Amino acid sequence: MTKKLVYFLCTGNSCRSQMADGFLNELGGDQYEVKSAGLEAHGLNPRAVQVMKEAGVDISGNSSDVIDPELLNRADYVITLCGHADEHCPVISNTNVVKWHWGFEDPAKATGTEEEIMTQFRQVRDSIKQRIAAFVKEGK
């Protein structure tokens, strides 16, 4: 069986797209080839790495990458995770690609105490995990 390529896009490829990448590899890596990228590469957010580790998924070896036009046009699914990436996604020439937008708040913009910030990271992580689990279950 050929794995379908899922390409998660965000602004900086540091938090949300990395979490989605980690969860899809964990929950559906046998069915999907998973890649993630950003309009820019901001590097892995250490808090994202920490909350994913708490969920049993290690993304510490992931790299923060800029969108690759070849991957973009080879993907079966292009899924944006923030409004900015959705609005500024490069043109996809492959008319067979399925493009979806799953909007999640940016936990990197959370303010407050460290615990309040980490709570926001965990909430976004859990929301992304639920959406990924539904995606895998639907067999999309």
Side-chain angles (χ1 to χ4, degrees):
M1 176 178 94
T2 303
K3 292 184 178 185
K4 292 187 177 214
L5 173 59
V6 178
Y7 205 20
F8 291 111
L9 304 180
C10 221
T11 300
N13 193 219
S14 66
C15 293
R16 293 164 288 183
S17 52
Q18 293 288 350
M19 290 179 190
D21 181 313
F23 279 130
L24 187 53
N25 270 311
E26 182 75 16
L27 301 173
D30 57 331
Q31 303 167 40
Y32 301 99
E33 177 185 357
V34 186
K35 301 288 183 185
S36 66
L39 298 170
E40 304 163 359
H42 293 171
L44 277 176
N45 185 300
R47 291 180 177 124
V49 173
Q50 180 181 338
V51 299
M52 289 299 287
K53 186 175 183 179
E54 292 171 7
V57 179
D58 182 8
I59 61 168
S60 64
N62 288 16
S63 60
S64 180
D65 301 311
V66 175
I67 296 170
D68 178 333
E70 190 274 326
L71 280 175
L72 186 70
N73 286 296
R74 190 171 58 83
D76 295 289
Y77 297 94
V78 171
I79 302 171
T80 56
L81 301 170
C82 68
H84 186 256
D86 187 38
E87 294 165 13
H88 295 91
C89 181
V91 173
I92 302 169
S93 60
N94 176 0
T95 57
N96 295 321
V97 70
V98 176
K99 185 177 179 292
W100 286 328
H101 175 64
W102 301 346
F104 295 99
E105 288 190 39
D106 186 355
K109 292 185 177 176
T111 58
T113 66
E114 182 62 21
E115 190 51 42
E116 290 168 335
I117 292 169
M118 291 304 291
T119 295
Q120 181 66 28
F121 268 84
R122 290 179 186 109
Q123 288 171 344
V124 171
R125 174 204 63 201
D126 294 346
S127 295
I128 290 171
K129 182 178 182 180
Q130 288 176 341
R131 188 62 191 94
I132 295 295
F135 175 80
V136 172
K137 184 178 179 184
E138 293 165 10
K140 297 282 185 184

